[in-house]
Amino acid sequence: MDYVRTSLVLKAMADPNRMKIIDLLSSGCLCGCDVLEHFDFTQPTLSHHMKALEKAGIVSVTKKSQWHYYTLREDFVKDFMETMAKLLSNDGQNDMNKEIVIK
């Protein structure tokens, strides 16, 4: 298990607004303007949150004309679910005996 990568993803997700964005995107691709309707903050603040989620590999962005469309990455969802299942399982297959290097 990549503890460093997992902690970076969890850190990006730790903000309640970002959790809500992930929840919204779980229904499908949305334009930034549509995401913004669900919040009481400005477009630059939304851009900040989306950049953090994109940098963590959680969302992907497509620009069409002047609009940005955001999608929850399917590979992220699959990998995250598997990582959480492994992290929280009690199957005797853990990484406790491996050296953890944090940079």
Side-chain angles (χ1 to χ4, degrees), residues 70-83:
Y70 298 97
T71 307
L72 196 58
R73 293 179 52 147
E74 289 183 35
D75 59 333
F76 160 76
V77 173
K78 180 182 174 283
D79 292 344
F80 183 75
M81 297 297 282
E82 288 173 2
T83 298

Side-chain angles (χ1 to χ4, degrees), residues 3-64:
Y3 293 109
V4 174
R5 170 82 180 118
T6 302
S7 68
L8 292 173
V9 167
L10 290 172
K11 183 177 179 182
M13 294 175 65
D15 182 279
N17 291 313
R18 293 182 194 151
M19 282 188 196
K20 185 174 180 179
I21 291 168
I22 292 168
D23 189 23
L24 291 168
L25 294 177
S26 69
S27 298
C29 181
L30 288 173
C31 177
C33 58
D34 294 328
V35 174
L36 195 56
E37 290 179 4
H38 297 270
F39 296 95
D40 188 26
F41 51 66
T42 63
Q43 188 278 326
T45 301
L46 176 64
S47 292
H48 168 78
H49 288 303
M50 298 311 290
K51 192 56 135 175
L53 292 171
E54 183 182 10
K55 186 176 178 180
I58 298 170
V59 301
S60 61
V61 60
T62 306
K63 187 173 182 182
K64 295 179 185 174

Side-chain angles (χ1 to χ4, degrees), residues 85-95:
K86 185 176 179 182
L87 181 67
L88 300 172
S89 71
N90 188 17
D91 63 4
Q93 300 292 321
N94 59 41
D95 292 339

